[in-house]
Amino acid sequence: YDNFLSFKDLRDLLFARESESVAIDCYVNTCLFLPRQENPNIFKNFGYLGAALKGYVQSCKDDKSKEQHFDYSFRTLDCAPTEFDLLFSPMHVGTNHWALLVINIKEKEFHVYDSLRNKDHRDIPQYVEELRRYMKGKYIDAENWSLRYPDPCPQQGSGDDCAIFTYKYMECLARRDTQGLPFSQNDMPTMRAKFAIHFIKAYFNA
């Protein structure tokens, strides 16, 4: 991969600091997209738009910039979006929070999995509205699709675990292990260690 994790990224994973978009992208590319024989529990019914939303809509000064922003995300797909049931799009919300936007093509809805549901993240509906406008006439006419926050959705405590929650939401959805989304804040230290070990192994295997 062009931008693999640095030692600092691994240290941040292990010691409960914020995780950046490169960590999310590396996790998806080295875990969820493994060949079927290596990862038999993953259903290949999803597409990944990449964690390319760090700049987010408010950083786009005009419509052309917004379109380029979405063009970049959709170019990461290997095939047409309509060939998937789900499209995963990690969102960098506000200044320091990650949440997961799922474009549920099968149910014709936008789903947001947010580990800080008690916070008022106004830029999430704003982003979805911009995405609706972009997709119409290009990929999918989602103008009338609703925006939902599915329950139950595990919530984080204090700390910088939002990116780890975002990883786990994607993993559970890719495995169709959605009955209660079986993880919690108590699992975060173990999850960070597992992700760090996974990245180290993936680095040396590559």
Side-chain angles (χ1 to χ4, degrees):
Y1 306 103
D2 293 335
N3 296 305
F4 205 81
L5 296 183
S6 66
F7 176 77
K8 179 183 180 300
D9 295 321
L10 291 175
R11 185 184 63 196
D12 290 350
L13 266 176
L14 284 169
F15 296 104
R17 297 188 177 115
E18 252 187 84
S19 299
E20 292 295 336
S21 59
V22 64
I24 297 177
D25 285 340
C26 280
Y27 168 68
V28 173
N29 287 324
T30 63
C31 183
L32 296 189
F33 283 131
L34 285 175
R36 172 70 72 180
Q37 62 269 24
E38 296 179 49
N39 210 348
N41 296 321
I42 295 290
F43 294 86
K44 305 298 184 182
N45 66 330
F46 65 90
Y48 182 61
L49 296 178
L53 312 182
K54 185 170 168 50
Y56 219 44
V57 170
Q58 58 263 45
S59 68
C60 299
K61 298 179 181 179
D62 52 45
D63 289 340
K64 184 178 180 181
S65 298
K66 291 174 185 175
E67 186 160 347
Q68 290 172 344
H69 168 84
F70 288 122
D71 281 344
Y72 176 83
S73 296
F74 277 92
R75 277 203 307 271
T76 63
L77 295 178
D78 291 326
C79 50
T82 51
E83 296 181 26
F84 299 107
D85 291 340
L86 306 172
L87 295 179
F88 294 151
S89 183
M91 300 183 293
H92 197 261
V93 182
T95 57
N96 61 353
H97 179 58
W98 285 100
L100 177 65
L101 173 66
V102 179
I103 304 172
N104 194 317
I105 297 171
K106 194 172 183 180
E107 296 184 18
K108 297 185 177 181
E109 291 179 329
F110 294 97
H111 295 171
V112 173
Y113 293 84
D114 185 356
S115 60
L116 287 178
R117 279 282 303 279
N118 57 323
K119 304 291 185 182
D120 184 15
H121 299 307
R122 297 179 182 177
D123 43 359
I124 291 178
Q126 177 193 5
Y127 180 78
V128 171
E129 188 56 39
E130 297 288 350
L131 184 57
R132 278 196 186 102
R133 291 197 198 104
Y134 174 81
M135 292 170 71
K136 185 176 182 179
K138 286 200 171 187
Y139 299 104
I140 304 161
D141 189 354
E143 186 177 6
N144 297 317
W145 289 17
S146 60
L147 172 61
R148 287 204 308 114
Y149 292 78
D151 283 319
C153 181
Q155 297 291 284
Q156 72 180 86
S158 58
D160 297 318
D161 291 318
C162 53
I164 312 297
F165 273 80
T166 301
Y167 304 155
K168 289 300 293 181
Y169 294 145
M170 283 190 283
E171 185 180 80
C172 289
L173 291 167
R175 293 181 186 274
R176 299 180 187 171
D177 190 8
T178 56
Q179 193 65 36
L181 293 175
F183 66 95
S184 71
Q185 177 66 46
N186 293 335
D187 298 315
M188 290 301 108
T190 304
M191 287 297 101
R192 284 181 178 273
K194 283 183 176 179
F195 288 146
I197 291 170
H198 169 79
F199 288 141
I200 291 168
K201 286 182 177 178
Y203 177 82
F204 286 107
N205 287 340

